[in-house]
Amino acid sequence: MLVTTTPNIEGKRIIKYIGLVNGEAIIGANFVKDFLAGIRDVVGGRSGSYEQGLREAKSIAIREMMEQAQRLGANAVIGVDIDLETIGNGSSMLMVSANGTAVCYE
């Protein structure tokens, strides 16, 4: 399945707009990750554990969005937007959402 952030597919003709599709993933930040991230922030490094968590959450959200589009009969998702939002008490969790328009193209 083709997934793109653009509103069209260059060189292809969209023959049917099916509708909005989305996928979400929520990851929790545990104490160890918070502690290590805080230390890395102080010394100016990167937090590999958070980066890996974000990559996994993004992958899950996109995969869910693609699966929903496929169930609806689409062969592409256009106009994809990925958003990040902290949720929970003290912003203890991170939600990643992927949204786009399911289409059929030829």
Side-chain angles (χ1 to χ4, degrees), residues 32-51 54:
V32 174
K33 284 184 181 178
D34 287 341
F35 179 73
L36 293 174
I39 290 173
R40 288 187 185 102
D41 287 344
V42 170
V43 297
R46 295 171 58 175
S47 174
S49 60
Y50 274 130
E51 290 173 0
L54 282 172

Side-chain angles (χ1 to χ4, degrees), residues 1-68:
M1 172 163 304
L2 180 64
V3 176
T4 180
T5 59
T6 61
N8 52 37
I9 304 167
E10 188 173 341
K12 302 292 182 184
R13 187 171 69 96
I14 294 174
I15 58 173
K16 183 179 181 183
Y17 288 84
I18 296 172
L20 182 65
V21 289
N22 61 348
E24 296 88 20
I26 298 175
I27 56 173
N30 66 29
F31 176 77
V32 174
K33 284 184 181 178
D34 287 341
F35 179 73
L36 293 174
I39 290 173
R40 288 187 185 102
D41 287 344
V42 170
V43 297
R46 295 171 58 175
S47 174
S49 60
Y50 274 130
E51 290 173 0
Q52 180 61 30
L54 282 172
R55 278 191 292 273
E56 289 175 18
K58 178 182 161 189
S59 177
I60 291 167
I62 292 171
R63 185 175 62 243
E64 284 185 1
M65 179 188 65
M66 290 169 56
E67 289 170 356
Q68 183 183 16

